[in-house]
Amino acid sequence: MSDCKKNPYAFIEAEVIKVTDETSNIKTLTLKPRGDIAFRAGQFMEVTLPGIGEAPFTPSSNHNSKETLDFTIMSAGRVTKLIHQAKAGDVVGLRGPYGTRYPLEQFKGREVFIVGGGVGLAPLRALLYALFNDIGDYKKIILRYGARSPGDIVYKSEIDSWRRKAGNVDVGITCDVGDPSWSGHVGLVTTILSNDGLDIGNAVAIVCGPPIMMKFATFKLLDLGFKDSQIHLSMEKNMSCGIGKCGHCRIGPYYACKDGPVFTYDKIKSLPNIWD
Amino acid sequence: MKNNLYTITKKDLFDLFGRLAGANRVVVPYIKGEKLSFDDFDPKKEDVIELGGVRQSQPVKSFINPVREKITGSAPRGKPLVLAGVKACDLSSLFVQDSVFLGGDIEDPFYAENRKNTTIIASDCTYAKETCFCVAMEGAPYPSRYFDLSISAIDNYFLVEVGSEKGQKLIDGYKTFFKSPSVHAEDLRRAARERVTGQVRDFIAGRGTPDTARIKGMVRKNYDLTDFWKEMASTCVECGACNLACPTCHCFLLFDEKDQAGAKRFRVWDACLYSTFAKVAGNHNPRKHLYERLRNRFDKKFDFFPETLGCFACTGCGRCIEACPGSIDIREVLKGLVSGKWKTPPHE
C-alpha cells in the first residue's frame, strides 16, 4: 500500500461488503478498504474496476466511520454499469480522497440549508452524517430534496430517521412528477425552497445535484437573500487524475479535482459557462 | 554569472554521441524530406543529421511525457536519454510541462523520473519557417533556459554553452573533446542569432501576428463572440492533431487494461478537441459544441496559464498550423481575437 504514496495513480483494494438497491438505476456499495483511506465530507475518490476503468464519486457515508465507506452510484456510463454488477466479496479499487471538503467549522452555530437533487443527495448524506456527529453545534439542519419521481428517491429507508434525529432537523422532499403512491409535494426542488423561519444572515446553503438543478437552486437561494459567499456548491466535472494534471475538470482558472469540488459561489460566479 | 563556454568540432561531437550511445539512448534530429525528425543516433547516417535547422516534427514532450506510458507500480529507471538539437520553442514548453507534472501538491513520479533521466543538448535555429512565431510569444530562435548544454554552429565548429551542473559534468567527463572558444566566437553567435531572429520577426510582421502584449486577456474578453468561435471552428474535423503536435498540451487520460499478468494503467495523451474530453456521467457534456472545444483550447493557452502560471502556453513553434487538416491557423485566430472586427450579436 506504500505504493499509493509514491504513485498517485495507484489504488488500494477495497472489498464489497454490501450492495443496496436505492432505485432502479442507483445502488449503494458498502466497501471495506484494505488500507487507510480517510476522507472528509465533500471530498471525492476514484472508484476503480482494476483493468477496466475508474470514475469519481463522493463517499456518501459518515466520515467518522473508519471501517467502511459507502458510495451511492447511478448506472450512467461504461464504468458505472459494470460497478452495478458488483457483488459482496468482489474487490474494487479506491484512490483518493481528493479535493476540498465542506468547511464544517464555518457551519457551527449556524442554520445549515442543504439542497439536493437526484443522486446528488449522496455527498449530502455524508454531510448530514458529519453534521449529526455534533448535532448540537448547529442551530438548524434543513434538507430540501428533489427527485424526478417517487421511485427515484434515494435513501428511502433512512430519511425518516433523519427527520426524527433531533428537534433542529427539518426534511422536505418533492418529486418533479408524482404517482398514486405519492402524497407529498409535487414540483421542482426550487418550489420548496423558502426563507420562512430562516435566519439568512446566520445561514449557509449547500447545493448538490445535476447542473441544471444547481443553477436554478443557486438563483433561488440568491433570491431568498443568501449571499454568494454563503452558497457552497459541489461542482462535479470530469475529474480523472484527481491531482490537477490531466486537465479534464477545468473551470476557469481552477481544477474541480483540487480547487473544488466544493466551491463557494463567489469564487466561480464570474467564470464563463459554469453551469454547462 | 556567465555560463561556461567551450567549442567542439562536428566530428568530435559525433564521436561524443558515439561514446555516449550504449550507456545512454542518444536521440538526434535527421533531415526527412522537408522536415526534421528525431531518431536514435546512427553514426552511419551522420550526413543527414541536422543539429541546427529549425524545430523538429515531434514536440519534445514525446520523450519525457510519452504518448502512452505505463504507470502501474513504481517509475522504472530506463537507459538515460541524451536529446540533442532541441530548439528554444520546445525548451519553453518544458516550463509548462514541468509545472504541470512536477508542480502542485503531488508530483508525477513517472514524468519526474524521465525528466531526471534526460540530458538536453539544445541548439540554435539556423533558419526559420514561415510558421515560426516564437518571438511574438516572448521567445527567441535560440536557447536561453532549460538546457544542460546548448550548441551553436559557428563556421566549422560548435560553440557550447553550459546550462546546468549536469551539462558541466558531461563536459568534464569528456574534456579532450572540448576546447576554449576564441574571443570572436560569441560575437559570431550573436550575429547568427540576430539574423534568424530577424527572419522570425519578418514572418510575424508579414502576417501581422499579434504578440502576447496584445493577446493578453483577449480570450476572456471575447469569450462570448460565438460567431467568431464558430467561424474559426468551421473547418475543424476534431482530429486533435493540434493538441498532439503541441509541445505544451499536457492533458491525458488514464487508460486501464488487463491481460494474464493482471491489471495495468496507462497515461495516454488526450485532446480537448475530442467531444468526450469533458463529458461526464449521464451523457452530460459541458462543451458539447465543437466551437466551445476550440475556444477551450485558446482559453487554456492564453488565459488559464497566464493566470495560473504567469506564462502563455504557446511557444510559437507553429506545429499546430502544419498539423491541422482543416487549415486552422493559430495566428489567424489570434489576429481575429485582437481585430475588434467581431461583435457580440445584439440578441446576445
Side-chain angles (χ1 to χ4, degrees):
Chain A
M1 298 309 135
S2 62
D3 192 34
C4 198
K5 290 268 182 287
K6 281 185 243 131
N7 181 350
Y9 308 115
F11 53 81
I12 65 164
E13 291 184 331
E15 190 185 334
V16 179
I17 300 296
K18 193 171 72 174
V19 180
T20 310
D21 287 322
E22 300 287 354
T23 72
S24 62
N25 65 348
I26 299 172
K27 292 185 183 194
T28 295
L29 272 68
T30 302
L31 305 180
K32 187 176 165 60
R34 294 172 178 166
D36 182 30
I37 189 158
F39 76 101
R40 308 304 293 169
Q43 290 188 298
F44 75 98
M45 295 186 191
E46 295 285 341
V47 177
T48 309
L49 295 176
I52 293 170
E54 59 182 13
F57 304 99
T58 303
S60 55
S61 47
N62 190 331
H63 62 203
N64 281 0
S65 314
K66 300 288 176 216
E67 282 291 292
T68 62
L69 298 167
D70 289 349
F71 288 90
T72 302
I73 296 170
M74 181 193 279
S75 173
R78 185 180 67 92
V79 172
T80 49
K81 232 172 251 172
L82 292 167
I83 290 176
H84 268 223
Q85 292 171 16
K87 303 176 300 294
D90 288 354
V91 173
V92 298
L94 284 180
R95 203 158 65 78
Y98 298 117
T100 50
R101 56 182 178 82
Y102 294 119
L104 296 179
E105 66 285 354
Q106 294 174 25
F107 299 173
K108 298 219 160 151
R110 291 174 180 253
E111 302 184 0
V112 185
F113 195 75
I114 304 169
V115 186
V119 75
L121 190 55
L124 300 176
R125 178 182 182 242
L127 171 63
L128 280 168
Y129 284 129
L131 297 172
F132 292 166
N133 291 339
D134 305 293
I135 198 160
D137 289 355
Y138 309 96
K139 241 176 111 190
K140 274 184 194 168
I141 299 169
I142 301 153
L143 171 67
R144 295 291 178 260
Y145 175 56
R148 223 172 330 189
S149 76
D152 292 310
I153 296 172
V154 293
Y155 312 128
K156 282 185 205 75
S157 59
E158 291 170 47
I159 290 174
D160 272 338
S161 74
W162 300 348
R163 283 197 171 102
R164 291 193 303 268
K165 191 79 192 172
N168 60 346
V169 180
D170 173 9
V171 177
I173 300 179
T174 181
C175 290
D176 299 354
V177 183
D179 69 17
S181 75
W182 181 248
S183 55
H185 191 275
V186 174
L188 299 175
V189 72
T190 45
T191 63
I192 57 166
L193 304 184
S194 123
N195 49 9
D196 277 358
L198 205 59
D199 176 10
I200 299 246
N202 190 35
V204 290
I206 299 96
V207 188
C208 186
I212 186 88
M213 169 265 170
M214 302 260 301
K215 176 178 177 174
F216 289 103
T218 300
F219 292 170
K220 179 75 188 224
L221 290 168
L222 294 169
D223 271 356
L224 296 181
F226 279 92
K227 289 200 183 78
D228 299 340
S229 59
Q230 287 174 291
I231 304 172
H232 300 259
L233 303 166
S234 281
M235 300 297 292
E236 314 284 337
K237 298 281 169 191
N238 183 7
M239 290 100 77
S240 173
C241 72
I243 52 176
K245 304 201 187 298
C246 80
H248 287 91
C249 63
R250 189 170 71 86
I251 310 172
Y254 306 118
Y255 284 124
C257 73
K258 68 176 184 65
D259 304 306
V262 180
F263 289 98
T264 49
Y265 184 55
D266 58 324
K267 208 169 165 188
I268 54 169
K269 70 172 201 174
S270 64
L271 303 174
N273 303 358
I274 55 168
W275 307 115
D276 286 353
Chain B
M1 205 180 71
K2 198 164 173 290
N3 289 339
N4 288 341
L5 294 172
Y6 300 87
T7 63
I8 190 168
T9 63
K10 194 170 179 182
K11 186 187 164 297
D12 282 350
L13 185 60
F14 285 169
D15 276 357
L16 175 63
F17 289 158
R19 298 258 194 113
L20 292 170
N24 302 274
R25 181 184 172 206
V26 179
V27 169
V28 296
Y30 291 91
I31 298 165
K32 292 211 172 141
E34 289 180 355
K35 296 184 177 177
L36 297 173
S37 181
F38 282 117
D39 210 338
D40 286 38
F41 174 70
D42 180 351
K44 290 193 288 292
K45 293 188 195 157
E46 278 179 9
D47 54 328
V48 284
I49 293 174
E50 174 56 90
L51 287 164
V54 69
R55 57 94 187 146
Q56 301 77 12
S57 299
Q58 304 102 313
V60 77
K61 69 177 181 184
S62 322
F63 296 94
I64 295 160
N65 159 21
V67 61
R68 175 183 160 98
E69 176 149 48
K70 191 173 157 216
I71 51 165
T72 309
S74 51
R77 185 154 305 178
K79 240 187 196 185
L81 174 70
V82 176
L83 197 53
V86 179
K87 297 295 178 277
C89 49
D90 273 357
L91 297 176
S92 306
S93 76
L94 287 174
F95 177 65
V96 177
Q97 298 279 340
D98 284 357
S99 301
V100 170
F101 289 101
L102 305 178
D105 296 335
I106 297 166
E107 177 180 277
D108 181 312
F110 300 90
Y111 181 95
E113 188 60 36
N114 292 344
R115 187 77 167 93
K116 208 165 61 196
N117 222 9
T118 303
T119 301
I120 293 179
I121 302 178
S123 67
D124 292 14
C125 293
T126 51
Y127 60 88
K129 288 183 145 190
E130 197 278 326
T131 50
C132 292
F133 61 107
C134 59
V135 178
M137 295 292 115
E138 298 173 13
Y142 52 84
S144 55
R145 56 178 188 163
Y146 297 110
F147 58 82
D148 297 305
L149 294 178
S150 150
I151 58 174
S152 313
I154 313 263
D155 299 334
N156 55 350
Y157 66 91
F158 291 100
L159 179 63
V160 183
E161 180 177 339
V162 178
S164 74
E165 212 173 296
K166 201 196 267 179
Q168 187 63 54
K169 271 191 188 148
L170 202 160
I171 288 187
D172 293 346
Y174 295 91
K175 269 195 176 127
T176 54
F177 286 120
F178 296 93
K179 307 277 183 296
S180 294
S182 79
V183 287
H184 303 298
E186 276 189 272
D187 289 338
L188 293 168
R189 182 176 75 170
R190 192 176 306 117
R193 287 179 168 182
E194 278 169 11
R195 185 181 59 80
V196 182
T197 305
Q199 276 182 19
V200 181
R201 282 193 202 286
D202 288 347
F203 287 135
I204 291 167
R207 189 173 277 271
T209 306
D211 61 10
T212 54
R214 288 177 67 201
I215 298 162
K216 200 171 168 57
M218 292 309 277
V219 176
R220 183 59 57 81
K221 189 176 169 218
N222 294 318
Y223 199 86
D224 294 324
L225 294 186
T226 308
D227 289 349
F228 166 73
W229 295 109
K230 280 184 178 164
E231 174 66 23
M232 293 300 119
S234 62
T235 56
C236 177
V237 294
E238 301 181 58
C239 66
C242 52
N243 295 127
L244 307 181
C246 177
T248 70
C249 274
H250 63 86
C251 293
F252 62 85
L253 55 85
L254 296 174
F255 182 79
D256 289 0
E257 65 178 35
K258 60 180 164 188
D259 55 21
Q260 283 113 333
K264 284 182 229 155
R265 176 162 286 171
F266 295 86
R267 163 160 46 57
V268 184
W269 290 358
D270 202 357
C272 61
L273 266 301
Y274 295 160
S275 61
T276 50
F277 185 84
K279 205 174 145 197
V280 294
N283 241 347
H284 185 79
N285 193 343
R287 294 193 284 277
K288 44 187 155 315
H289 300 109
L290 179 54
Y291 81 87
E292 294 169 321
R293 300 196 285 279
L294 183 99
R295 180 177 62 190
N296 173 71
R297 176 170 156 78
F298 284 83
D299 187 26
K300 180 85 183 265
K301 294 197 176 304
F302 300 101
D303 202 85
F304 173 85
F305 275 117
E307 189 168 347
T308 60
L309 210 57
C311 78
F312 288 77
C314 173
T315 69
C317 74
R319 285 190 182 91
C320 57
I321 304 167
E322 279 182 7
C324 182
S327 303
I328 299 171
D329 188 324
I330 190 167
R331 298 167 298 181
E332 295 300 321
V333 179
L334 296 173
K335 269 166 72 181
L337 263 183
V338 302
S339 69
K341 281 185 202 147
W342 295 82
K343 302 271 181 252
T344 310
H347 61 272
E348 289 192 22

